[in-house]
Amino acid sequence: MEDMAKTSTTTQGLRAAIERSGYYPALVAEAVEAAVGGEPIRSYLVHQETTFDQNEVRRHVTVLVLTAHRFLVSHTDEQAADSTSPTPYATTSTESVKLDRISSVVISRVVANPESYAPGTLPREVVLTIGWGAVSRIDLEPAACGDPNCEADHGYTGNSTADDLSLRVSEAGDGPETVRQALAFAQAISEATADVSH
C-alpha cells in the first residue's frame, strides 16, 4: 500500500512539474504518460530551455523519467509557421530505453569557491550525460610521435564517446530546486543501472 501511495505522489509530482514548466503542459503530459504506461515512476526531471534563433525565441522541454525497467526521454519543441505548416506547431518525441542498455551516466558538478566547499552545498551547475549507444561521437585528430622534426604520416587518433543525452541545469538559469532535482535524478538512474548490472 505504501508503494502505491509513493507512486501516486511521484506521478502527481511529475504532472505538477510539467504544469509548472508552462510549456504546452497538456501535450507534454499526454506524451509522457503514454510512454510511461502503467509503470510506477521512480524518479523524474523536467527541464525547459529557451533558445534564440536569429529573430525567433524557441522553447524546448525535456522530460526524463525513470521506472523500474526503463529510462524514458521526451522532447518537445515548438516551431514557427513554415512552408510545411501555415500555423505554428509543436513536435513531441519520446524514447524508451531499457535500463540494461545504458552504458554510462556522467554527472559533472560546477562549484564556486572550491577551497571553502562544504559537503551538501548545492553546485552552481550540473551537467547530466547519459549514453546508451544510440548516438556516438568520434573526435579525431592527426596522430604524432615525440620527434618534433618528424614529418611522417602517423594516421589519426581519437575518442569515441556515447553522447545520447546531455542536459545542463544551473542555479542561476533554472533555480536551485531544478539543480536538486537533477542531482536526485542522476543518483536514482546511477543506482538503477548499477542494480541491473548485478
Side-chain angles (χ1 to χ4, degrees):
M1 191 65 135
E2 188 177 313
D3 283 347
M4 285 181 67
K6 184 179 178 202
T7 298
S8 176
T9 302
T10 305
T11 302
Q12 290 171 354
L14 172 59
R15 231 181 253 134
I18 291 170
E19 290 283 339
R20 269 193 312 276
S21 81
Y23 182 77
Y24 307 124
L27 174 66
V28 173
E30 181 179 56
V32 170
E33 288 169 7
V36 170
E39 281 191 81
I41 296 170
R42 293 170 77 175
S43 187
Y44 63 86
L45 175 62
V46 177
H47 180 254
Q48 183 184 330
E49 183 178 9
T50 303
T51 57
F52 300 94
D53 183 16
Q54 295 174 359
N55 296 332
E56 295 178 15
V57 176
R58 293 182 191 246
R59 294 180 300 166
H60 173 92
V61 70
T62 302
V63 180
L64 309 180
V65 178
L66 178 65
T67 71
H69 306 287
R70 297 182 299 149
F71 165 60
L72 301 152
V73 183
S74 175
H75 294 287
T76 303
D77 290 289
E78 66 181 354
Q79 306 293 329
D82 59 22
S83 61
T84 64
S85 176
T87 60
Y89 60 98
T91 305
T92 299
S93 65
T94 55
E95 182 172 2
S96 173
V97 180
K98 288 185 178 182
L99 288 180
D100 61 3
R101 293 235 3 250
I102 295 176
S103 56
S104 67
V105 176
V106 180
I107 181 100
S108 300
R109 303 166 190 241
V110 177
V111 258
N113 304 314
E115 68 282 354
S116 60
Y117 177 79
T121 302
L122 202 60
R124 182 172 74 192
E125 181 178 305
V126 171
V127 179
L128 174 61
T129 306
I130 302 172
W132 58 92
V135 176
S136 292
R137 182 185 61 208
I138 298 176
D139 296 319
L140 293 176
E141 61 185 41
C145 67
D147 181 358
N149 298 318
C150 180
E151 294 182 15
D153 183 355
H154 293 285
Y156 288 89
T157 185
N159 295 311
S160 175
T161 309
D163 197 14
D164 296 304
L165 174 82
S166 190
L167 190 77
R168 177 186 168 270
V169 296
S170 69
E171 189 174 20
D174 304 297
E177 189 51 42
T178 303
V179 173
R180 277 190 202 88
Q181 190 71 36
L183 290 170
F185 186 85
Q187 181 174 350
I189 197 163
S190 290
E191 290 171 357
T193 55
D195 289 346
V196 168
S197 64
H198 288 127

